[in-house]
Amino acid sequence: MEQLGVPYEEVMTWSTDGFYRETAEKVAYRKEEGCAVVEMECAALAAVAQLRGVIWGELLFTADSLADLDNYDQRDWGAEAFEKALELCLEIVSHM
């Protein structure tokens, strides 16, 4: 990411596949733990990679935001970032 001049931030994530389980109380609890984001695939994919003994990585980007529960920001489900994220991942993999 640094070699490509792409700004990034390393953060702790909360991974869950439970729709509608991101209650205000759980969001507050996870923030207190130090989590900056919640996503739905990372833990499951990491577990499968570990089981299969393969190298795995994931690039997370914002699709929507629960940072302000009173003013939900859908952010177009990240559609504007899909192509750029794919290009970035392909570039990173090509240097491995």
Side-chain angles (χ1 to χ4, degrees):
M1 301 283 279
E2 289 172 357
Q3 291 175 356
L4 298 171
V6 176
Y8 67 94
E9 185 176 344
E10 289 186 39
V11 299
M12 186 184 310
T13 182
W14 162 31
S15 186
T16 180
D17 64 355
F19 286 110
Y20 308 111
R21 292 188 185 167
E22 298 159 348
T23 64
E25 293 81 18
K26 279 204 177 177
V27 171
Y29 175 75
R30 296 299 184 186
K31 283 179 156 181
E32 287 177 23
E33 283 187 321
C35 293
V37 298
V38 60
E39 48 72 37
M40 297 181 69
E41 299 86 10
C42 196
L45 292 171
V48 170
Q50 183 178 16
L51 176 71
R52 300 290 184 205
V54 297
I55 297 171
W56 169 82
E58 185 170 356
L59 176 68
L60 301 175
F61 60 92
T62 303
D64 64 348
S65 176
L66 296 174
D68 182 353
L69 297 176
D70 294 327
N71 296 299
Y72 178 67
D73 177 9
Q74 185 171 310
R75 297 189 187 183
D76 196 28
W77 294 99
E80 71 283 354
F82 292 158
E83 185 175 342
K84 182 64 179 171
L86 177 59
E87 290 172 2
L88 184 57
C89 288
L90 292 172
E91 183 67 25
I92 290 169
V93 168
S94 74
H95 291 284
M96 294 180 86

